[in-house]
Amino acid sequence: MYHSVGDRSEDPYRITVTPERLDAQLGWLRRCGLRGVSVAELLAARARGEDRGLVGLTFDDGYADFVTHALPCLRRHGCGATLFVLPGRLGADNAWDPLGPRKPLLTADGVRHAAAEGVEIGSHGLTHVDLTAADDATLKAETAESRALLTELTGAPVTGFCYPYGTVDARAAEAVRAAGYAYACAIDPGPLTGPHALPRVHVGERDTAVRLLLKTRLHRLRRRPATGV
């Protein structure tokens, strides 16, 4: 689970990695015989029993630096990824982070460019709100409306969702499933299991090869069968 790739001189939430660090991390994956792919590709390969050596790479929020910094790095290492964007905030910034700093988000053209480069585009909701605290109308807009807007924008099916802040409960997961998404990513979904409550591992600037190795091994202990929500 990545977010922004770029300048991290101000990074109170530790959501940014430098392009150099991302390059080193992807290089480590490749040296270990692993290849980064989109979540959709990973799940499809798993269904065929062919997911050995694959790692799902996700980038949340749709920062503009994905195209300028992350995408070239992914291409150098022959990796794919899923980019979760906010169609209600295209061309805006990360106003939901009170401590800042403000980072520009991709425009509609930027999202289309990423999609044209083979990046899977998924929804991160419409405006980045905590779905577990949303009323029924907001929950529907953040799930169903965001999917419709991104489908129109990219001209391709949108099958993946990512819960803002990583927070999910049974009601939010059901809304995502009902909106037609095939899968949804959280961070630590707690007791929820299944394709609409997938756990992920945060990757940051401090994650060297040793830390990544530990994280991949610990993540295996958190994996659950794809049943439930």
Side-chain angles (χ1 to χ4, degrees):
M1 178 182 65
Y2 289 96
H3 289 78
S4 174
V5 180
D7 176 24
R8 60 178 308 274
S9 55
E10 292 183 73
D11 190 27
Y13 298 102
R14 297 182 181 179
I15 62 167
T16 306
V17 299
T18 62
E20 295 77 16
R21 180 63 80 187
L22 177 62
D23 187 73
Q25 291 166 343
L26 295 183
W28 175 83
L29 288 177
R30 297 299 270 162
R31 289 192 299 275
C32 290
L34 304 172
R35 181 170 65 89
V37 296
S38 70
V39 179
E41 183 175 345
L42 176 63
L43 294 177
R46 175 174 290 183
R48 300 190 303 269
E50 300 173 355
D51 58 320
R52 184 177 179 83
L54 301 182
V55 177
L57 299 180
T58 61
F59 292 79
D60 292 6
D61 301 333
Y63 291 103
D65 56 34
F66 177 84
V67 166
T68 55
H69 296 314
L71 189 54
C73 188
L74 290 166
R75 291 293 165 262
R76 280 196 300 274
H77 291 278
C79 292
T82 299
L83 176 65
F84 292 113
V85 303
L86 300 151
R89 292 189 181 272
L90 297 178
D93 60 32
N94 56 327
W96 60 87
D97 287 333
L99 298 180
R102 292 289 160 256
K103 289 176 173 280
L105 303 178
L106 287 168
T107 62
D109 285 342
V111 174
R112 282 191 286 262
H113 174 72
E117 289 291 317
V119 175
E120 181 194 12
I121 304 299
S123 173
H124 199 27
L126 193 62
T127 58
H128 205 287
V129 301
D130 182 351
L131 298 190
T132 64
D135 59 34
D136 290 346
T138 301
L139 188 57
K140 184 174 181 179
E142 293 288 328
T143 55
E145 186 176 337
S146 67
R147 182 169 184 255
L149 288 172
L150 286 176
T151 299
E152 181 180 1
L153 175 65
T154 63
V158 175
T159 61
F161 187 86
C162 175
Y163 299 100
Y165 306 104
T167 56
V168 57
D169 58 14
R171 174 172 167 267
E174 173 57 26
V176 168
R177 187 200 62 76
Y181 296 95
Y183 74 85
C185 292
I187 300 176
D188 185 353
L192 297 180
T193 65
H196 292 92
L198 298 174
R200 293 180 298 165
V201 175
H202 168 76
V203 180
E205 181 70 13
R206 296 173 59 194
D207 289 321
T208 59
V210 172
R211 287 172 59 94
L212 285 176
L213 178 61
L214 291 173
K215 284 189 171 185
T216 55
R217 290 184 174 178
L218 289 172
H219 183 64
R220 293 190 182 101
L221 300 177
R222 302 166 63 217
R223 287 164 56 182
R224 301 180 177 92
T227 58
V229 299

